[in-house]
């Protein structure tokens, strides 16, 4: 069937004069209406598990900007919580979790099929969204990649160099690999339920994928993505999948083919002209403007939007940032970017 939604067209390999556009973290603190709804919910996690309010914040940037895609409002760290890890957010600092430092921590976790009661509110958010989104807007479901989620579970917090996860990998490889396997299998079950609830596309966020090198990148970034995508496509034929191995650098080359992803999301450390030649040659790419331009704006924002659009104009492209929009971004700059892109 020929796709009618702009985002699905690009994912099916179509080159469009004006690419579809959405922004990572488009529902977030830079929007006053998000801050108001989060205050109503109480805190960030309460917002994630309040289906009505999570759907509301997902819809806010669609109303304001008519983006071509909405991304489910949730977080990659809800999955470890569903598996039994403690999770809380320190105001102004970010996530904190119980830590997995050896076989006992791993044994205390639940099984891959035991997550669905905990995740019921998230599936309900997806159902509400698939009813309420405009007919031209594509709904994206998501999860963290096993490696990225594991880095938080092992360290108990975000880290600059993922040191604790690399250390567990070196010192207790059996525990590390069992954790990656559990997360891979649980992610399949979690994403599959999102699709059953109405997600039309799924995205796998490997935000720390770039810190894996050589054979480790193959084993813990590429292979889990390949397994997740193959199983999801077996269960849901034709499901488009976006992979985001952030800061993979040269390892972006061939990543889509090797994993079966329909699109790779590019971070802003790679040059658009280089990526057009070396990555887009295999199919759709997403990205990759620097999030800081949404803070600084001006002529540079307009020029850079046009440069990236032009660089990727000979193949399928989804315009986006190279990472999430930040809380200090000016909402007006999003409008300026959209005018530069859509004309
Ligand atoms: O709009 C969207 O993109 C959808 C919702 C979404 C959130 N997090 C909401 C969120 C998505 C897709 C994510 C993914 C996510 N979460 C990633 C992968 C992408 C990336 O940014 O690299 C990661 C690593 C996380 C884990 C996480 N969640 C961290 C490290 C933090 C703290 C840092 C921060 O930005 O505050 C969060 C919190 C978080 N997740 C917020 C939002 C809107 C901010 C919470 C708040 O409102 O205070």
């Amino acid at each position: 069937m020929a796709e009618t939604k702009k985002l699905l067209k690009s994912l099916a390999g179509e080159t469009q004069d004006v690419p579809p556009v959405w922004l990572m973290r488009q529902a977030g603190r830079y929007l006053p209406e998000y801050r108001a709804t989060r205050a109503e919910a109480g805190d960030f996690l309460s917002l994630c598990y309040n289906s009505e309010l999570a759907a509301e914040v997902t819809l806010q940037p669609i109303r304001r900007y008519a983006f071509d895609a909405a991304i489910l409002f949730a977080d990659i760290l809800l999955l470890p919580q569903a598996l039994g890890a403690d999770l809380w957010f320190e105001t102004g600092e970010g996530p904190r979790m119980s830590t997995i430092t050896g076989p006992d921590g791993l044994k205390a976790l639940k099984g891959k099929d035991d997550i669905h009661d905990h995740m019921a509110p998230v599936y309900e958010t997806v159902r509400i969204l698939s009813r309420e989104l405009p007919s031209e807007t594509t709904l994206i479901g998501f999860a963290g990649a096993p490696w990225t989620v594991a880095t938080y579970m092992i360290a108990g917090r975000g880290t600059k160099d993922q040191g604790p996860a690399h250390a567990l990998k070196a010192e207790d490889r059996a525990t590390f690999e069992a954790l990656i396997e559990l997360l891979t299998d649980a992610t399949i079950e979690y994403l599959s339920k999102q699709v059953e609830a109405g997600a039309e596309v799924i995205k796998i966020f490997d935000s720390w994928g770039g810190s894996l090198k050589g054979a480790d990148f193959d084993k813990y970034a590429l292979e889990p993505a390949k397994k997740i995508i193959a199983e999801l496509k077996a269960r849901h034929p034709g499901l488009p999948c976006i992979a985001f191995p952030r800061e993979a650098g040269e390892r972006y080359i061939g990543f889509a083919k090797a994993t079966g992803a329909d699109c790779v999301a590019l971070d802003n450390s790679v040059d658009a002209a280089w990526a057009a030649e070396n990555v887009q040659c295999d199919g759709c790419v997403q990205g990759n403007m620097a999030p800081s331009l949404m803070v600084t704006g001006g002529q540079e924002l307009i020029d850079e939007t046009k440069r990236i659009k032009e660089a990727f104009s000979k193949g399928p492209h989804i315009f986006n940032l190279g990472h999430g929009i930040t809380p200090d971004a000016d909402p007006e700059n999003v409008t300026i970017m959209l005018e530069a892109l859509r004309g």
Side-chain angles (χ1 to χ4, degrees), residues 25-27 29 34 38 44 74-76 142 152 207 323:
R25 291 279 175 98
Q26 63 191 19
R29 288 160 291 183
Y34 170 84
R38 192 182 69 163
F44 172 65
D75 196 84
I76 65 164
F142 74 93
Y152 290 94
S207 301
H323 202 191

Side-chain angles (χ1 to χ4, degrees), residues 115-288:
I115 59 173
H116 299 309
D117 286 349
H118 184 97
M119 292 300 197
V122 176
Y123 307 143
E124 178 60 17
T125 306
V126 176
R127 280 191 289 272
I128 296 171
L129 287 167
S130 57
R131 286 197 302 270
E132 296 195 356
L133 276 170
S135 59
E136 65 276 16
T137 315
T138 302
L139 178 56
I140 304 175
F142 74 93
W147 160 251
T148 286
V149 173
T151 65
Y152 290 94
M153 295 178 82
I154 294 164
R157 57 190 300 158
T159 49
K160 277 204 158 56
D161 60 357
Q162 297 72 58
H166 284 290
L168 186 70
K169 171 161 61 64
E171 287 156 12
D172 183 354
R173 197 164 288 247
T175 297
F176 174 79
E177 290 192 340
L179 178 60
I180 294 288
E181 192 179 333
L182 171 63
L183 288 170
T184 303
D185 293 342
T187 300
I188 292 167
E189 302 310 324
Y190 178 44
L191 289 174
S192 192
K193 284 271 193 252
Q194 290 185 26
V195 175
E196 283 168 32
E200 300 170 277
V201 171
I202 63 95
K203 179 170 175 187
I204 304 167
F205 286 89
D206 210 349
S207 301
W208 301 118
S211 85
L212 292 166
K213 304 295 175 200
D216 278 355
F217 183 88
D218 293 326
K219 276 205 291 216
Y220 309 123
L222 197 151
E223 287 298 329
K226 182 179 172 186
K227 184 175 175 189
I228 292 165
I229 291 167
E231 182 59 30
L232 287 171
K233 283 181 181 274
R235 294 186 195 183
H236 310 282
L239 174 73
C241 301
I242 304 172
F244 181 36
R246 192 171 74 90
E247 304 216 331
E250 302 250 309
R251 302 301 313 262
Y252 272 120
I253 300 171
F255 195 81
K257 270 191 178 160
T259 57
D262 302 272
C263 173
V264 281
L266 302 161
D267 66 77
N268 47 287
S269 74
V270 296
D271 178 63
W274 174 87
E277 199 178 317
N278 292 285
V279 188
Q280 198 188 26
C281 54
D282 289 336
C284 187
V285 293
Q286 178 181 285
N288 71 339

Side-chain angles (χ1 to χ4, degrees), residues 17-19 21 305-306 309 335-343:
D17 290 342
V18 176
V21 52
T305 300
K306 291 182 173 167
K309 178 185 175 186
T335 306
I336 292 168
M337 177 277 287
L338 289 172
E339 275 165 14
L341 187 75
R342 290 169 167 167

